[in-house]
Amino acid sequence: MNIFFYATYSNQEEFFHTLKKKFKHDKVFTINDDVDLTKIDVAMVWNLPSNIFTKMINLKAIFSIGAGVDHILKLPNIGNLPIIRVKDPTMRVRMYNHVLSQILIFQLKLKTYDEAQRKKIWMNERYTPLNKELTIGIMGIGYIGNFVALKIKKLGYNVIGFKRNMTTNNKLFEIYNKKTINKFIQRSDIIVSILPDTKNTKNFVNSNFLKKMKKSSLLINIGRGPAVNEKDLIKHIKSNPSFFASLDVFNREPLIKKHKFWSNKNITITPHVAAITDHDSSISYLYKRFIDLKKNKKIKSDVDIKLGY
Ligand code: OXD
């Protein structure tokens, strides 16, 4: 089969070499090859430009080399083309580590002590809640969200979930849906958004949502930037000094220099690194799915185009 690889990763060369080694029985092309795009069977991509995609008129499937597929759903006339996305167990572990680190920073008031240290202030002891006293609300209970929720629950935190169209309950933790979302927000001490970027999730966390959150609370966003209304978040923090946010994803990346988030002491910024793509493990996953396609001549899409994930 003919494969076309395209990515906008900073280490895409390295990724490409590992991919080429793994797919040694097939031909892997890039933009630097003089290749007839109509002969490409499979595209393995991150941020593929539309003008390249539209020339690949005989594609059997398009693979996202990351977990997200928003970059693929933006392409024109995707139709019923099967979309495969990476399900990488190491990505889930990294997401969990990241979430736990941000929970602990908030729970143990480490930002406050850090600020005091910079001013050489020996701060009096402050109450820090135990795990069992905190409820962590996870929005987006998919491959990653479910794993994070269960790992956190094992540490003794109370865990609840939110999934828009969920009607049945999960046996391991309570799941709220779009009808019961208010209760989910009000119960949570910390909300973790692992929401994808879809028409239903744009500005999901807006002033209305934030107002319902506890005054002393933490919002962690490791899903997609557009799920959080950035202006509303800044306003909310201004009037709620005990409200914190830890953001790994943004409306526009990289975050521009003049963005208000940079200098806000209640906001922690990480540059979309909560779960970096692990080359070996994600390429192994892509390979497994590719072999399925080669053997069966067809493959079931991982993505419901209507839902957008
Ligand atoms: C991904 C990401 O979707 O890195 O893989 O955001």
Side-chain angles (χ1 to χ4, degrees), residues 68-121:
V69 291
D70 38 323
H71 62 106
I72 290 179
L73 294 173
K74 278 186 203 133
L75 294 168
N77 304 324
I78 194 86
N80 290 325
L81 184 67
I83 302 172
I84 307 304
R85 68 183 190 92
V86 164
K87 283 189 186 158
D88 173 5
T90 68
M91 202 178 255
R92 308 200 289 190
V93 174
R94 286 197 167 93
M95 283 288 198
Y96 159 68
N97 284 342
H98 181 87
V99 169
L100 181 61
S101 73
Q102 299 312 298
I103 291 175
L104 286 171
I105 288 171
F106 173 76
Q107 179 179 356
L108 306 181
K109 303 189 165 52
L110 297 181
K111 252 175 135 43
T112 312
Y113 291 117
D114 184 59
E115 216 186 307
Q117 178 188 339
R118 312 230 158 258
K119 295 181 192 147
K120 301 187 181 164
I121 295 172

Side-chain angles (χ1 to χ4, degrees), residues 44-256:
M44 300 210 171
V45 299
W46 187 259
N47 286 335
L48 178 71
S50 300
N51 64 328
I52 301 181
F53 174 69
T54 49
K55 289 189 187 116
M56 294 196 253
I57 52 175
N58 290 309
L59 276 187
K60 318 271 181 303
I62 184 160
F63 286 44
S64 168
I65 62 171
V69 291
D70 38 323
H71 62 106
I72 290 179
L73 294 173
K74 278 186 203 133
L75 294 168
N77 304 324
I78 194 86
N80 290 325
L81 184 67
I83 302 172
I84 307 304
R85 68 183 190 92
V86 164
K87 283 189 186 158
D88 173 5
T90 68
M91 202 178 255
R92 308 200 289 190
V93 174
R94 286 197 167 93
M95 283 288 198
Y96 159 68
N97 284 342
H98 181 87
V99 169
L100 181 61
S101 73
Q102 299 312 298
I103 291 175
L104 286 171
I105 288 171
F106 173 76
Q107 179 179 356
L108 306 181
K109 303 189 165 52
L110 297 181
K111 252 175 135 43
T112 312
Y113 291 117
D114 184 59
E115 216 186 307
Q117 178 188 339
R118 312 230 158 258
K119 295 181 192 147
K120 301 187 181 164
I121 295 172
W122 183 266
M123 255 191 144
N124 288 335
E125 208 175 287
R126 304 196 150 199
Y127 182 76
T128 54
L130 293 168
N131 297 10
K132 66 177 183 193
E133 293 173 282
L134 288 177
T135 297
I136 318 293
I138 314 254
M139 301 202 291
I141 300 293
Y143 178 72
I144 292 172
N146 200 50
F147 178 85
V148 172
L150 293 177
K151 293 285 278 186
I152 285 186
K153 191 170 185 303
K154 275 207 181 124
L155 298 176
Y157 294 98
N158 302 295
V159 173
I160 55 177
F162 167 75
K163 194 167 166 65
R164 244 183 100 74
N165 297 312
M166 193 78 172
T167 45
T168 52
N169 232 321
N170 178 328
K171 284 201 190 73
L172 300 161
F173 52 92
E174 239 175 299
I175 300 197
Y176 294 84
N177 59 27
K178 61 178 186 250
K179 285 200 191 118
T180 52
I181 176 98
N182 285 347
K183 188 134 186 250
F184 167 84
I185 303 175
Q186 284 152 6
R187 273 192 66 191
S188 301
D189 295 291
I190 294 173
I191 289 185
V192 183
S193 172
I194 315 183
L195 294 174
D197 182 17
T198 72
K199 62 180 188 321
N200 290 321
T201 62
K202 275 218 181 359
N203 291 320
F204 193 71
V205 181
N206 55 16
S207 58
N208 219 351
F209 183 107
L210 292 163
K211 260 189 255 156
K212 290 175 198 148
M213 281 181 75
K214 293 189 179 168
K215 294 265 176 246
S216 169
S217 186
L218 168 69
L219 170 73
I220 302 174
N221 189 10
I222 51 167
R224 283 292 182 260
V228 174
N229 183 305
E230 297 186 344
K231 285 204 175 103
D232 287 0
L233 178 60
I234 289 278
K235 254 203 223 153
H236 187 75
I237 290 177
K238 238 187 203 161
S239 39
N240 294 280
S242 303
F243 190 95
F244 291 85
S246 165
L247 308 171
D248 187 57
V249 286
F250 304 87
N251 266 278
R252 202 171 131 198
E253 295 173 12
L255 196 62
I256 53 168

